[in-house]
Amino acid sequence: MSGPGGGPLSGPAETGWRRLSPRMLLVHPVQEVVRAAPALLGLLVAGTSSGGKGHLWSAAGVGLTVLFGMLRWFTTTYRISPEQVQVRRGLLNRKVLTVPRDRVRTVDVTSHVLHRVLGLARVEVGTGTSDRRHDSRLKLDALSADEAARLRVELLHRSPAGQFPGTQAPAGQSPTAQSPTAQSPATSPVSPAAETELARMRPGWVRFGPFTMSGLVTVGVIGGFVSRLVSEGNIDLDRVGPVRETWRWFSAMSLALEIATVLLALMVFVGVASTLGYVLAYGNFRLTRHAEGTLHVTRGLLTRRATTIEERRLRGVEIDEPLLLRAVRGARLSAVTTGLRSKEGGQRGGSTLLPPAPRTEAVAVAGLVLSHTPGATGGPSPVTGPDTGPLTSPLTSPLTVPLIPHGPAALRRRFTRAFGVHAPILLALLLLWVLGEPPLWPWLTAAALLPVTALLAADRYRSLGHALTSGYLVTRWGSLVRRRVVLRCDGVIGWTVERSFFQRRAGLATLTATTAAGAQSYQVRDVDLAEALRLAAAGTPGLLDPFLEPAGSASQ
Amino acid sequence: MSRTAIWYWAARAAFGWLILLAAQVIWLVADTAGVPLSVHVTGLVATAVVAAAHVTVMPQWRYRVHRWEATPAAVFTQSGWFRQEWRIAPVSRIQTVDSERGPLEQLFRLANVTVTTASAAGPIKVGGLDRDTAQRLVAELTANAQATAGDAT
C-alpha cells in the first residue's frame, strides 16, 4: 500500500492515512536494541554471574525490544491533505498531531547510516511555535528517500511551484492561497537556474576541526558509557590487563609529569575526536539557494541531514567566533530566522549556514545570504531596503562595517564586573586558608589567574560594538564566544532599555532589540544612553518619537 | 496607573507580611523548645517594622516610577527602581492583548493588561489600571493591531 511512489501526496481527506516505509520494520528494532544495549548487556552479565540463565533473560529482553520496535511501524500513520499534515501514533496512548500546512516553516530530512543503507530518510516538520517539548514535533521516521524529498518540496514550495515548472515539484494540486507579499525571490540576478550554490565544504577546512572542541562531548559520552558499563556489568577494571599495565606505568611518574601526561593525552584525544566529529558532521556540506526562495543546507558524511530555511523567514545572520576558533581566524555562520529556536536549532545544527570555516569565507557567505533576502512580510517597510549595493562595499556592509566602541565607561564596567567576581573568590579562599582548612595552593592559583581575568575583561570590551547600516542593526559582544549579530531592522519588533543602578551611575544602558527570530532578543550592552536611544530611534523611525520627551536631553 | 493601585499594592504587600507574622505567632504559641520570649518578641517587632516600612513606602515609590503610554503606533512602559526598564513595542507587531484580574484586583476594581509580540522576549505588562481604562486600552490596541496585515513577525 505504502511503498515508494504510492500515488499523489495529497490524497483524499478521509482515506489518506498512510504508513511509513515498510523497510522501517528492519530499522526500528535495531534502533530500539541499540538504545537498550547497556541495559541488555547488564542483564546478560548480571544473569550469568548469578544463576547461569543470563543469556535466556537477555534473549527475552532483545525479543521484547524487537517486538516493541516493530509495533511502532504498525501504530504510526500519517496523511497530508491540502490543508494540513497529520501524524497518528502510539498504541496505548493514541496521539494525533496536526499541523496546518501554511504554518510549515522548515522541513528537515535526516538519514542515519542505517537509513542510508536502506534508502530511507526521516522527515521532521518544524512550525513557528517556540516548542521546547520535543514530543510535539511532527516527525516521520522514516519514509523512502524519494518520498522524503518529494514531501519536502511539496510542503515548502507550494505557491512558486507553478511559476517554476522546471523544478521537480509536483505542480497542480498545491493550494496557491499564500500571502502575496511573501515571496519575491524571482528577481534572482545570480542565475536563472533553480539552484545556486553559495558554499561548499573544502578539504582545507578540516584544519578547524581540532579547534571546535566538539570532541569534549565525545569524551564525556565515552566516559559515561564506560562508567555505565562498569557499574551495570560489574566489570572490575583491575582485572583487565592493559588497563592495569597503564595504571602501573602511570602511577610510577611524578605528580607534575602525571598532570602533563593527562593533559597531553586529553588534548590529543579531544583534538582527534573533534576533527573526526567535524568531518562526520560537516562532510559533503553544501549551502544552496533555490529559486523558490529557500536556502538548503545539506551535510553529513554518514548521517545525512538536509535543512531548509525559507528566506522570507530570515531576519539576519550571526557570526560566532569561539576563542579557540578565533585564534586560528575561523568562524561559524548561522541564520537568525523565525520558526527555528536558535538555542535548540544551534545545538542540533538546524540554523547552521556554514561550519567552522575561515572567517573571510563566513563573511563572504553571509554577504551572499543577505544580498537578496526578500522584503518584509508585514509591518513597516525597512528603513533602506537591503539591496546588493551597500552590502558589497566594506564600509556599508553590516558584516564588515567598523563597529562603534562603547566608550571608557563600558570598559571600566567590564573590569569592575570581572574583578567583582574574582575578588570575592580570592577573599574567600584566603579566609579559608587563614582558618586553616584547605592548603594554600587554591589561593595561589586564583591569584595567578588575576591577569587572565584582566585580559578577559579587556577582550570583552574590545568585542563590544554596534552599528546601524543599510537597514541592519549590528551588535557584537562576548569573549569566550564572540558573536556578531546582523539583524534586519524590520525584524525588530520592540525595544527594551534596561538600566541597573550601577549602569545609571555610569550613564550606560543595555538596549535589547526583541525579535521573533533566533534568540528572540539581541542586546547592545553597556552603551551610552543617548546612543541607545539614537540607535532605537534610527532603527525603527518614528516609533520612539512620542516617548522621547521624558528622557529629556537624551535625543541628539 | 490608577491611584487605587497604591492601595492595591499596599494590600498585597501587607497580605504577604501578615502570613509571615502569623507564622511567627504560631511558632511563639507552639514553641516547646524553650527559645526565650525576648527572642520571639524581637523577631516579631523587627518583622512588623520592616513590614510597615515596606507597605507604606513601596507602593508610593512604585507608583512614581511606573509609567505607561499607548499611542496609535506604539505601547510604552517604564518600570523598576533599582533596575530601570523601558519597554516599547509597535502596535503593528502586537500578537495578543490579554487583560487579567486577580481576586484582590477585583476588590480594588483594577486590572492589568499584557501585550505580547511574536518575540518570546518582549511581553509588555501594564499593571494596576482601573477597570475602564484597561478595557479601553484593550479595545484600542486590538482595533489598531487588526488594522495591520501580515503575521507580525
Side-chain angles (χ1 to χ4, degrees):
Chain A
M1 283 297 267
S2 61
L9 284 166
S10 312
E14 283 310 309
T15 56
W17 290 102
R18 295 145 58 77
R19 285 191 193 286
L20 304 173
S21 167
R23 276 173 270 174
M24 282 311 284
L25 281 173
L26 290 172
V27 179
H28 275 317
V30 176
Q31 278 177 341
E32 295 292 336
V33 168
V34 167
R35 199 175 299 163
L40 290 175
L41 217 64
L43 204 63
L44 178 70
V45 176
T48 318
S49 57
S50 63
K53 291 230 180 78
H55 52 286
L56 280 182
W57 282 112
S58 202
V62 170
L64 263 180
T65 332
V66 166
L67 205 68
F68 190 70
M70 287 171 81
L71 259 180
R72 277 179 55 180
W73 183 80
F74 286 104
T75 53
T76 308
T77 51
Y78 73 97
R79 76 172 172 186
I80 291 143
S81 67
E83 296 85 32
Q84 57 200 23
V85 185
Q86 283 180 303
V87 173
R88 258 194 326 208
R89 64 165 183 242
L91 178 66
L92 298 174
N93 199 358
R94 293 293 272 168
K95 189 165 181 176
V96 183
L97 282 171
T98 306
V99 173
R101 277 181 58 169
D102 57 349
R103 289 294 144 83
V104 174
R105 301 204 171 167
T106 58
V107 177
D108 287 7
V109 179
T110 314
S111 26
H112 295 287
V113 184
L114 205 58
H115 285 126
R116 286 184 70 187
V117 170
L118 295 167
L120 297 170
R122 187 177 78 193
V123 179
E124 201 172 325
V125 176
T127 58
T129 56
S130 26
D131 50 351
R132 281 171 204 152
R133 294 159 296 149
H134 281 281
D135 199 35
S136 62
R137 288 230 156 133
L138 202 148
K139 216 187 274 183
L140 294 171
D141 188 8
L143 308 174
S144 71
D146 295 348
E147 192 152 350
R150 203 140 28 95
L151 193 65
R152 180 166 83 151
V153 171
E154 170 159 347
L155 284 179
L156 283 175
H157 298 164
R158 278 154 305 153
S159 44
Q163 301 160 20
F164 292 89
T167 59
Q168 76 270 43
Q173 74 271 112
S174 44
T176 43
Q178 264 285 55
S179 61
T181 52
Q183 318 242 350
S184 57
T187 52
S188 163
V190 188
S191 155
E195 200 177 17
T196 324
E197 186 172 286
L198 300 182
R200 169 188 281 277
M201 172 86 178
R202 302 225 187 83
W205 293 1
V206 173
R207 69 174 186 274
F208 293 107
F211 299 98
T212 56
M213 298 303 278
S214 59
L216 270 182
V217 182
T218 322
V219 171
V221 167
I222 291 179
F225 184 75
V226 167
S227 75
R228 195 166 165 188
L229 207 65
V230 167
S231 67
E232 287 198 29
N234 287 325
I235 298 170
D236 192 359
L237 275 182
D238 263 358
R239 276 190 282 161
V240 185
V243 176
R244 199 175 47 215
E245 286 304 310
T246 318
W247 183 249
R248 190 176 297 158
W249 170 74
F250 181 72
S251 40
M253 289 186 292
S254 69
L255 181 71
L257 211 57
E258 262 179 26
I259 293 175
T261 316
V262 168
L263 274 182
L264 193 74
L266 206 66
M267 258 165 65
V268 168
F269 190 79
V270 168
V272 169
S274 300
T275 313
L276 215 63
Y278 183 90
V279 172
L280 288 181
Y282 298 115
N284 290 327
F285 176 90
R286 270 183 90 215
L287 171 67
T288 56
R289 166 182 284 131
H290 282 231
E292 297 90 343
T294 51
L295 295 170
H296 285 224
V297 177
T298 42
R299 62 189 183 87
L301 207 60
L302 294 177
T303 297
R304 284 199 68 76
R305 288 193 54 142
T307 316
T308 308
I309 298 169
E310 275 184 288
E311 281 189 293
R312 66 190 175 96
R313 308 258 177 225
L314 199 70
R315 296 290 179 272
V317 293
E318 178 176 331
I319 297 176
D320 295 346
E321 298 162 276
L323 195 60
L324 276 175
L325 214 53
R326 184 143 56 106
V328 290
R329 307 185 74 73
R332 291 186 303 226
L333 180 69
S334 50
V336 174
T337 167
T338 61
L340 275 178
R341 282 189 73 84
S342 81
K343 285 274 153 51
E344 253 170 62
Q347 254 171 25
R348 292 164 49 252
S351 59
T352 303
L353 288 181
L354 200 68
R359 210 194 115 76
T360 47
E361 187 78 17
V363 170
V365 172
L368 284 175
V369 168
L370 290 183
S371 65
H372 61 113
T373 47
T377 58
S381 54
V383 200
T384 49
D387 52 77
T388 39
L391 281 174
T392 44
S393 154
L395 281 178
T396 50
S397 161
L399 298 158
T400 47
V401 67
L403 300 180
I404 304 165
H406 288 190
L411 176 63
R412 274 197 300 278
R413 202 169 137 76
R414 295 275 80 74
F415 274 98
T416 43
R417 281 176 64 125
F419 287 116
V421 174
H422 201 141
I425 293 176
L426 217 56
L427 216 64
L429 284 175
L430 191 67
L431 208 69
L432 279 176
W433 176 69
V434 169
L435 290 177
E437 272 308 309
L440 189 60
W441 65 265
W443 186 82
L444 286 177
T445 321
L449 283 176
L450 272 173
V452 177
T453 309
L455 275 178
L456 196 69
D459 190 51
R460 277 172 64 82
Y461 170 72
R462 228 163 56 89
S463 294
L464 275 185
H466 67 272
L468 190 75
T469 176
S470 336
Y472 286 90
L473 172 73
V474 187
T475 166
R476 191 180 65 182
W477 74 95
S479 175
L480 293 179
V481 182
R482 185 165 78 177
R483 299 170 194 277
R484 181 187 183 121
V485 172
V486 175
L487 186 67
R488 266 170 51 187
C489 282
D490 61 336
V492 175
I493 56 175
W495 298 98
T496 305
V497 178
E498 264 181 299
R499 308 178 69 202
S500 74
F501 178 69
F502 298 110
Q503 276 179 315
R504 279 206 295 279
R505 288 193 45 182
L508 297 175
T510 294
L511 177 73
T512 308
T514 60
T515 170
Q520 309 286 307
S521 67
Y522 291 100
Q523 293 185 324
V524 182
R525 282 163 203 214
D526 289 335
V527 68
D528 198 55
L529 178 64
E531 175 68 8
L533 293 179
R534 190 196 68 81
L535 207 60
T540 49
L543 181 65
L544 262 68
D545 295 349
F547 307 111
L548 280 181
E549 282 86 46
S553 58
S555 60
Q556 271 82 42
Chain B
M1 314 275 154
S2 161
R3 279 209 77 88
T4 334
I6 297 179
W7 293 104
Y8 161 65
W9 288 325
R12 206 175 57 177
F15 196 65
W17 284 110
L18 276 180
I19 290 175
L20 188 63
L21 283 171
Q24 279 180 328
V25 169
I26 289 171
W27 186 34
L28 171 68
V29 173
D31 188 18
T32 50
V35 179
L37 192 69
S38 58
V39 172
H40 278 297
V41 172
T42 320
L44 268 174
V45 168
T47 313
V49 167
V50 173
H54 184 232
V55 167
T56 48
V57 173
M58 180 276 286
Q60 296 284 348
W61 199 342
R62 186 178 276 187
Y63 182 74
R64 291 246 303 272
V65 296
H66 280 232
R67 288 273 179 279
W68 68 274
E69 203 174 329
T71 68
V75 191
F76 172 85
T77 60
Q78 175 187 338
S79 63
W81 49 75
F82 183 75
R83 171 175 282 271
Q84 226 175 52
E85 195 178 67
W86 302 335
R87 283 177 171 273
I88 187 166
V91 167
S92 57
R93 303 301 179 88
I94 287 177
Q95 295 277 2
T96 64
V97 183
D98 303 341
S99 178
E100 199 183 57
R101 279 174 296 180
L104 202 58
E105 282 172 309
Q106 297 254 27
L107 210 64
F108 285 93
R109 301 185 62 80
L110 291 172
N112 59 53
V113 174
T114 307
V115 176
T116 54
T117 58
S119 168
I124 294 187
K125 280 185 188 151
V126 187
L129 298 174
D130 71 64
R131 216 180 278 177
D132 297 337
T133 317
Q135 264 165 17
R136 205 146 20 90
L137 180 62
V138 170
E140 205 176 284
L141 289 178
T142 318
N144 286 336
Q146 268 169 357
T148 45
D151 65 352
T153 47

